[in-house]
Amino acid sequence: MISNVLVTGGSRGIGRAVCVRLASEGRHIIINYVSNEAAARETLSLVEAAGGTGELLRFDVGDIAETSAALKSWQEAHPDEYIDVLVNNAGIRRDNLLLWMEPEDWFGVMKTNLDGFYNVTRPVLQPMVIHKCGRIVNVTSLSGLKGLPGQTNYSAAKGGIIAATKALAQEVAARKITVNAVAPGFVRTDMVEGLDEEELKKTIPARRFGEPEEVADLVAFLVSDRAAYITGQVISINGGIY
């Protein structure tokens, strides 16, 4: 049976790199996006160039009804298949000091980054349990491990994902499903636009930002058969920040 991979927020950045990397293994990539169809189609072209197959699936991970409908529609269109690899990557940042953080910036980040994990994982998990096979990788952040000033909302959401990863891993390990998280530090994507790269490099022992492809390689290992005994782990990829 072909391996079906769902990557949320797959149109650009780390999500795009993961799509392309896993496509190079011959997997079928389901590229989720919410608004930028042009970028999603560009990712699809890269997926096909890498030797994989793919399709686009538009839905907002923060909208439970929309997410449920999209995933139900996909499953109905593929009755003899299921999504065996899920990469929860979709996320947004709305930085500010908590003192001045507006409610929409707190709840908006929670809706996409934390609620989105539940909205997508629950329906995708059920077929994995039935088939006794699955890989889930959650893209969290350095911010969720150590907390970063100006990111109380983002840190809280990503910290919640870390805790959820550890709990869910224990719930489904006996069904041969692994659940892990990767915690990137400063990676060169549009998520770090506006940050002072030269100053931040001084805080990184490796003295550079990471590349999306480096994160994608780690994800590829975690969803492979070689990582079957690794679950409930949060793996930092941050150039040595502690």
Side-chain angles (χ1 to χ4, degrees):
M1 182 181 293
I2 190 170
S3 174
N4 292 296
V5 180
L6 172 58
V7 181
T8 67
S11 65
R12 59 189 191 277
I14 290 174
R16 171 179 285 181
V18 169
C19 288
V20 174
R21 176 65 178 80
L22 296 184
S24 71
E25 300 177 354
R27 300 176 189 263
H28 181 74
I29 312 298
I30 305 163
I31 305 161
N32 161 254
Y33 72 102
V34 66
S35 59
N36 194 340
E37 183 175 344
R41 291 199 176 279
E42 185 177 345
T43 299
L44 179 58
S45 295
L46 293 169
V47 160
E48 293 170 345
T53 59
E55 62 184 293
L56 305 185
L57 191 62
R58 197 206 72 79
F59 62 89
D60 179 357
V61 300
D63 186 322
I64 189 169
E66 191 174 297
T67 300
S68 178
L71 293 174
K72 181 180 179 182
S73 176
W74 186 90
Q75 191 62 69
E76 289 174 348
H78 304 80
D80 298 324
E81 300 175 34
Y82 75 106
I83 294 168
D84 62 301
V85 176
L86 169 61
V87 182
N88 283 307
N89 168 74
I92 62 171
R93 276 179 43 220
R94 292 180 184 170
D95 295 355
N96 208 340
L97 298 178
L98 185 65
L99 182 64
W100 297 306
M101 187 175 291
E102 296 297 329
E104 56 266 27
D105 292 337
W106 175 272
F107 291 109
V109 166
M110 289 297 169
K111 183 179 178 183
T112 296
N113 296 355
L114 188 54
D115 294 350
F117 161 81
Y118 170 82
N119 296 343
V120 177
T121 305
R122 184 173 181 268
V124 171
L125 184 63
Q126 292 171 347
M128 290 184 183
V129 170
I130 292 170
H131 288 87
K132 295 183 180 180
C133 181
R135 296 283 186 271
I136 298 172
V137 177
N138 301 315
V139 180
T140 179
S141 170
L142 170 68
S143 187
L145 286 168
K146 72 184 292 289
L148 293 175
Q151 291 191 342
T152 302
N153 51 356
Y154 191 70
S155 295
K158 291 301 189 179
I161 292 294
I162 288 171
T165 296
K166 295 178 178 180
L168 180 59
Q170 296 174 67
E171 294 178 3
V172 298
R175 309 299 289 187
K176 298 182 180 178
I177 301 167
T178 66
V179 188
N180 292 290
V182 296
F186 297 104
V187 175
R188 201 182 307 280
T189 70
D190 56 7
M191 287 286 279
V192 298
E193 286 181 1
L195 300 181
D196 189 334
E197 181 173 348
E198 290 308 312
E199 283 301 311
L200 287 170
K201 281 180 182 178
K202 298 174 184 177
T203 71
I204 305 170
R207 292 294 186 266
R208 68 175 178 88
F209 277 17
E211 299 297 335
E213 292 75 17
E214 293 176 300
V215 181
D217 283 338
L218 175 56
V219 172
F221 171 70
L222 290 173
V223 304
S224 73
D225 291 341
R226 292 168 296 165
Y229 201 54
I230 301 173
T231 195
Q233 304 305 304
V234 182
I235 303 175
S236 293
I237 177 165
N238 60 29
I241 299 174
Y242 294 102

